[in-house]
Amino acid sequence: DVKVTQSSRYLVKRTGEKVFLECVQDMDHENMFWYRQDPGLGLRLIYFSYDVKMKEKGDIPEGYSVSREKKERFSLILESASTNQTSMYLCASRRTAWHTNEKLFFGSGTQLSVL
Amino acid sequence: GENVEQHPSTLSVQEGDSAVIKCTYSDSASNYFPWYKQELGKRPQLIIDIRSNVGEKKDQRIAVTLNKTAKHFSLHITETQPEDSAVYFCAARGNQAGTALIFGKGTTLSVSS
């Protein structure tokens, strides 16, 4: 089965720090995504990448950037962490849109607390 | 961009009852509609999906229906069991290159025995 691994399960950072969230998938998937999950707000798309070095803004990209230098790795960067970025961050990957199997594979999430 | 509305936000049923969760989407070009289930403390998992060329799809106790004209789709769970208790998310994907899934806000389903 596809494995999507997020580097940290829990992370505590200070306001103003630069934060890196790492995600690695092992199934050669083209597309990778970063969502944040907040109670009552569901899964909101931050950024996604449909191929190496490609990136697209999602619905809430402000305060975030991403990097995809290698196909298997997609990093989310909080340039200057703020308390309103305290959230559960979920990484996901899929082969590609319109593939017969479009299933999204999620990582186990990183619970980030910004103090 | 796409916007997905999901109702209700919470749903409580007795074991054996049916449960229905409804979603509407805004982009008439969207053509793929999956449902994900997230159990407490776990990652979301795909349970069923439907494409716009199909009106209904069934998999054992779960079914999804799609009304393209009205731009809404629904998840139906029959003979609910306590293990169906979870948060359910609907989602929609547009019809352009590299598009991402946009999720609804989720429905917390509680099945009591």
Side-chain angles (χ1 to χ4, degrees):
Chain A
D1 206 5
V2 174
K3 191 177 259 185
V4 180
T5 303
Q6 293 185 231
S7 52
S8 304
R9 186 71 180 93
Y10 300 97
L11 212 51
V12 180
K13 295 292 180 181
R14 296 280 180 199
T15 303
E17 278 193 77
K18 191 168 186 175
V19 181
F20 294 84
L21 302 183
E22 305 287 347
C23 177
V24 177
Q25 50 93 4
D26 66 356
M27 282 300 289
D28 202 37
H29 282 174
E30 286 82 8
N31 300 167
M32 296 187 75
F33 308 84
W34 277 105
Y35 290 91
R36 65 177 278 180
Q37 183 172 16
D38 301 286
L41 297 179
L43 299 164
R44 292 182 292 166
L45 180 67
I46 304 171
Y47 265 98
F48 65 104
S49 167
Y50 51 88
D51 210 340
V52 179
K53 297 193 186 292
M54 308 300 283
K55 59 185 179 185
E56 293 286 338
K57 291 181 180 179
D59 294 330
I60 52 165
E62 297 78 18
Y64 304 94
S65 62
V66 290
S67 172
R68 188 140 180 233
E69 294 297 315
K70 292 185 177 182
K71 193 173 188 179
E72 67 270 19
R73 185 181 298 270
F74 191 36
S75 303
L76 180 69
I77 304 151
L78 285 68
E79 298 292 343
S80 176
S82 63
T83 55
N84 62 13
Q85 292 178 310
T86 291
S87 186
M88 171 65 80
Y89 290 86
L90 286 167
C91 175
S93 73
R94 74 177 175 205
R95 182 154 299 284
T96 186
W98 309 303
H99 192 265
T100 50
N101 181 357
E102 283 196 47
K103 181 179 175 180
L104 267 189
F105 292 85
F106 283 90
S108 54
T110 295
Q111 179 62 53
L112 173 67
S113 297
V114 182
L115 307 178
Chain B
E2 177 65 273
N3 183 51
V4 179
E5 299 282 341
Q6 182 171 350
H7 299 280
S9 56
T10 60
L11 182 58
S12 296
V13 299
Q14 291 286 114
E15 184 177 1
D17 287 352
S18 293
V20 180
I21 303 170
K22 299 183 179 184
C23 290
T24 59
Y25 59 98
S26 60
D27 185 355
S28 56
S30 290
N31 62 2
Y32 175 68
F33 308 93
W35 287 86
Y36 282 77
K37 174 185 180 182
Q38 187 178 30
E39 296 175 0
L40 193 62
K42 303 265 182 84
R43 66 195 78 185
Q45 300 272 2
L46 177 70
I47 55 171
I48 195 167
D49 56 11
I50 191 168
R51 297 186 188 273
S52 58
N53 58 348
V54 175
E56 183 174 359
K57 186 176 178 181
K58 239 182 162 180
D59 183 4
Q60 299 182 338
R61 294 187 298 109
I62 60 172
V64 57
T65 58
L66 172 65
N67 183 327
K68 281 191 298 183
T69 305
K71 290 191 286 186
H72 69 69
F73 56 113
S74 301
L75 178 72
H76 304 254
I77 306 174
T78 58
E79 299 170 28
T80 54
Q81 300 166 5
E83 51 265 39
D84 294 329
S85 296
V87 180
Y88 292 80
F89 294 99
C90 63
R93 174 183 58 67
N95 193 28
Q96 295 179 350
T99 50
L101 279 183
I102 301 301
F103 286 86
K105 292 184 178 180
T107 296
T108 301
L109 173 64
S110 300
V111 181
S112 53
S113 54

